[in-house]
Amino acid sequence: MFSHGQLRIRGETPRPGLRLLSVVGELDLATAPILDRVVRDSEGVAAMVVDMSGVTFLGFAGVDVLVRAAERADDGWRRFAVVVSTRPTQRALDLAGAYARMGCHPRLDLALRAVAD
């Protein structure tokens, strides 16, 4: 478990080669570097899912972390998905035009299925 202010990130490995990061709280300019560090520390796996369903605020710094993680995954032939199920995350990703730049899914089970294929 990683936490800072209004942000908590829980990492788990539900199966070999898959890293699931569950993010809860506010992801903004102050907390985005923490998500960036956790994502980078987890990049040695074949697949990663970042579950944003507990995020109450998503700023553009947080969107940038997710987009860069998706780009690095593509470059490394790894699978990457994001669970986008709340209005704050949907709105921020839509405003940033980030939906087309990463695999976004409305539910965790769909994101897990997407990285398993």
Side-chain angles (χ1 to χ4, degrees):
M1 172 79 86
F2 305 90
S3 65
H4 177 73
Q6 296 295 317
L7 180 73
R8 290 187 321 274
I9 304 169
R10 186 182 72 226
E12 57 187 289
T13 306
R15 65 176 183 259
L18 171 64
R19 187 70 171 156
L20 172 60
L21 301 177
S22 300
V23 184
V24 176
E26 299 178 2
L27 188 54
D28 56 19
L29 188 60
T31 57
I34 292 146
L35 178 61
D36 187 53
R37 186 181 72 231
V38 172
V39 166
R40 287 178 182 274
D41 288 348
S42 300
E43 286 183 346
V45 297
M48 183 185 308
V49 172
V50 179
D51 183 358
M52 303 287 287
S53 59
V55 171
T56 56
F57 175 82
L58 177 58
F60 290 114
V63 172
D64 187 54
V65 168
L66 295 171
V67 168
R68 286 185 287 122
E71 289 170 350
R72 287 191 309 273
D74 285 345
D75 291 344
W77 295 95
R78 292 185 306 273
R79 295 176 307 275
F80 182 81
V82 180
V83 178
V84 182
S85 62
T86 64
R87 185 75 183 130
T89 54
Q90 293 166 345
R91 182 168 168 75
L93 291 172
D94 186 41
L95 288 172
Y99 274 103
R101 300 171 68 189
M102 68 180 109
C104 296
H105 305 275
R107 297 189 331 246
L108 179 58
D109 63 321
L110 297 174
L112 291 170
R113 192 174 315 146
V115 299
D117 296 337

